Amino acid sequence: MRGVPGGVGEGRLPDPAPGLLAATTDERMVRWWWTSRPTAPVMLATGGRAPCAVSLPALAGAKALVALDRMGMRLGPVVATPTRWSLLVAPYTLERLGELLYSKDWVPSSLRFHGEGGYLVLPPSETGAGQVRWERAPSPGAAAPWLPDVEAVLDALVEASTGAPDGGSRLAY
């Protein structure tokens, strides 16, 4: 499902899904899937004009949110699965991400980036690992959630992860 201009696009895949190729924003098709397959996962195609994300292992994600809150970092919505937490960020290009990563001396190896061509499973879906939930839900009534810039989130995660007393990462899991 491609993000709807000006908002977060949601849609449903049929079960069994013929891969992400079945994704659509066609309202009639989405309505039919919601009605006939209510347990199908809700997916967000990342990139383009839709949100992107930076994800961490679940334990590191929980530690990161505490550290980022202490730093005063303003975050957008956060999606949590039993295995990974994803911080939604404003759309970015792969070129921009490459430049950001190249400029860093060190980046936590546990980070994953969900940009153009990627996707996220959204609540209230269930995956093989368990229930997907909002750790930080989008603001109610907002047509589109506020999203931080990927550079600001990456900088904050690098800062939050360095400087453990033993010289390791404070976001180790």
Side-chain angles (χ1 to χ4, degrees):
M1 285 79 357
R2 178 58 45 199
V4 177
V8 174
E10 290 185 350
R12 293 244 176 201
L13 294 178
D15 187 25
L20 292 175
L21 298 177
T24 185
T25 56
D26 179 271
E27 288 184 41
R28 292 179 307 138
M29 196 69 203
V30 171
R31 199 173 297 114
W32 181 83
W33 283 334
W34 272 98
T35 303
S36 65
R37 308 237 195 315
T39 60
V42 177
M43 308 290 289
L44 168 69
T46 55
R49 295 190 307 202
C52 292
V54 176
S55 72
L56 305 97
L59 182 57
K63 290 179 180 180
L65 287 189
V66 170
L68 298 177
D69 284 343
R70 269 195 225 120
M71 295 166 60
M73 175 78 193
R74 182 177 177 203
L75 295 174
V78 177
V79 175
T81 72
T83 57
R84 291 197 74 81
W85 286 20
S86 300
L87 290 69
L88 272 62
V89 297
Y92 58 79
T93 65
L94 292 177
E95 292 80 15
R96 178 152 184 258
L97 178 62
E99 291 169 2
L100 290 173
L101 294 175
Y102 184 77
S103 71
K104 304 291 178 216
D105 291 331
W106 178 85
V107 174
S109 61
S110 61
L111 294 182
R112 290 186 190 157
F113 299 90
H114 307 268
E116 187 68 39
Y119 67 92
L120 287 175
V121 180
L122 296 178
S125 304
E126 190 164 325
T127 68
Q131 188 69 39
V132 179
R133 64 182 174 77
W134 290 111
E135 177 60 29
R136 300 222 173 137
S139 300
W146 178 86
L147 300 170
D149 185 75
V150 68
E151 183 173 11
V153 170
L154 181 58
D155 288 347
L157 288 172
V158 168
E159 182 179 331
S161 67
T162 58
D166 61 358
S169 172
R170 289 187 289 186
L171 299 184
Y173 59 98

